Amino acid sequence: MEFIDTDIRPWDANEVKEQFGDSLTLLPSNDNIKELQTILRDKNTTRSDFKFYADRLIRLVIEESLNKLPFTDCEVITPTGALYKGLKYGAGNCGVSIVRSGEAMEQGLRDCCRSIRIGKILVESDTDTHEAHVVYAKFPEDIARRQVLLMYPIMSTGNTVKQAVNVLTQHGVKEDRIILSNLFCTPAAVQAVVDYVPRMKILTAELHPVAPNHFGQKYFGTD
Ligand SMILES: O=P(O)(O)OC[C@H]1O[C@H](OP(=O)(O)OP(=O)(O)O)[C@H](O)[C@@H]1O
């Protein structure tokens, strides 16, 4: 289904829920997050500031994405001898970054999960047609048994992510065991990806008709 949006503003959580149901989760916004997004959108932001503030937003998105992975009940004893009923992060997950912008999210994941395995996929897009194809993929050998946190900060058409998901499913990963961790996406990209892989879960910090496609160039300093 083609989605055409002429309203140039970020979507709120109610609109997201109405259009995409449980497929898309919006990072709950606040003034702190809005400031980070403003700095990343500003054409006058220096490269050094861009990386610094992008890393802050990435950390928030990664922390929220981890909340979509399984936790199990556990009990611990506090220093005063009391029983505390808590939760323990489950094993059997891995990260996969889409080169190159997705690599910007690897450190944020490692800061939370010190020794998590991280695979990589390189997808190349044609600058004119936006057609994407996979050039390279390397995963943990047991990836088919793992839940996958797929990392890519920008979705403009969604083509890059669709190709990356293709490779994962070809390696035996079930669609409903993939969580896409994303910073900015367009409504058209979400619609395209949801139509393509309806059972994958997507978490983003902003749904906006204009994608900040300068992200990779500015973060890595290749502009
Ligand atoms: O959803 P899509 O339409 O596939 O687009 C996703 C991103 O990929 C492109 O960037 P680029 O080729 O510079 O990627 P990189 O930053 O990862 O190198 C494009 O400018 C988007 O930022």
Side-chain angles (χ1 to χ4, degrees):
M1 183 172 87
E2 194 186 358
F3 188 88
I4 298 167
D5 190 6
T6 50
D7 199 3
I8 310 297
R9 62 174 177 82
W11 287 34
D12 66 30
N14 290 333
E15 293 167 311
V16 166
K17 184 89 185 160
E18 201 173 305
Q19 179 72 25
F20 300 111
D22 292 334
S23 296
L24 178 70
T25 305
L26 205 53
L27 180 72
S29 191
N30 56 40
D31 289 351
N32 178 48
I33 290 172
K34 193 71 192 173
E35 193 215 6
L36 302 179
Q37 292 164 331
T38 305
I39 292 167
L40 297 180
R41 292 273 185 182
D42 186 347
K43 67 175 185 176
N44 294 320
T45 296
T46 63
R47 195 179 90 73
S48 149
D49 276 355
F50 189 91
K51 183 180 179 307
F52 178 80
Y53 290 101
D55 287 341
R56 282 184 55 195
L57 185 59
I58 286 167
R59 177 63 185 263
L60 294 171
V61 168
I62 291 289
E63 293 275 7
E64 192 68 24
S65 303
L66 294 178
N67 195 37
K68 297 207 167 285
L69 293 170
F71 290 79
T72 51
D73 291 333
C74 74
E75 293 177 346
V76 294
I77 306 297
T78 73
T80 59
L83 179 73
Y84 181 84
K85 295 187 176 198
L87 288 175
K88 186 173 166 42
Y89 177 66
N93 307 311
C94 73
V96 169
S97 67
I98 304 176
V99 180
R100 114 196 108 149
S101 288
E103 292 175 300
M105 302 177 75
E106 290 183 5
Q107 190 58 47
L109 179 60
R110 287 216 184 282
D111 287 345
C112 300
C113 309
R114 278 170 293 184
S115 54
I116 193 164
R117 291 163 197 263
I118 299 182
K120 283 184 194 285
I121 305 174
L122 172 57
V123 179
E124 262 183 11
S125 305
D126 186 288
T127 35
D128 298 325
T129 64
H130 294 292
E131 288 249 346
H133 69 277
V134 175
V135 177
Y136 169 88
K138 192 83 178 166
F139 305 127
E141 59 178 355
D142 59 350
I143 193 163
R145 293 199 296 273
R146 293 177 182 270
Q147 295 238 92
V148 176
L149 196 65
L150 180 62
M151 297 176 282
Y152 200 55
I154 313 295
M155 280 204 293
S156 180
T157 63
N159 288 344
T160 304
V161 165
K162 279 162 62 181
Q163 291 307 318
V165 171
N166 256 344
V167 187
L168 289 172
T169 53
Q170 281 160 14
H171 282 74
V173 180
K174 293 205 170 54
E175 192 182 308
D176 59 0
R177 287 168 64 83
I178 306 172
I179 294 143
L180 173 68
S181 200
N182 173 262
L183 302 190
F184 303 91
C185 61
T186 65
V190 176
Q191 190 67 65
V193 171
V194 167
D195 286 347
Y196 194 68
V197 271
R199 287 182 297 145
M200 179 175 82
K201 295 277 178 279
I202 306 170
L203 183 122
T204 190
E206 189 172 59
L207 186 65
H208 191 291
V210 181
N213 286 324
H214 60 286
F215 187 95
Q217 288 172 348
K218 196 123 180 191
Y219 189 96
F220 292 104
T222 55
D223 50 348

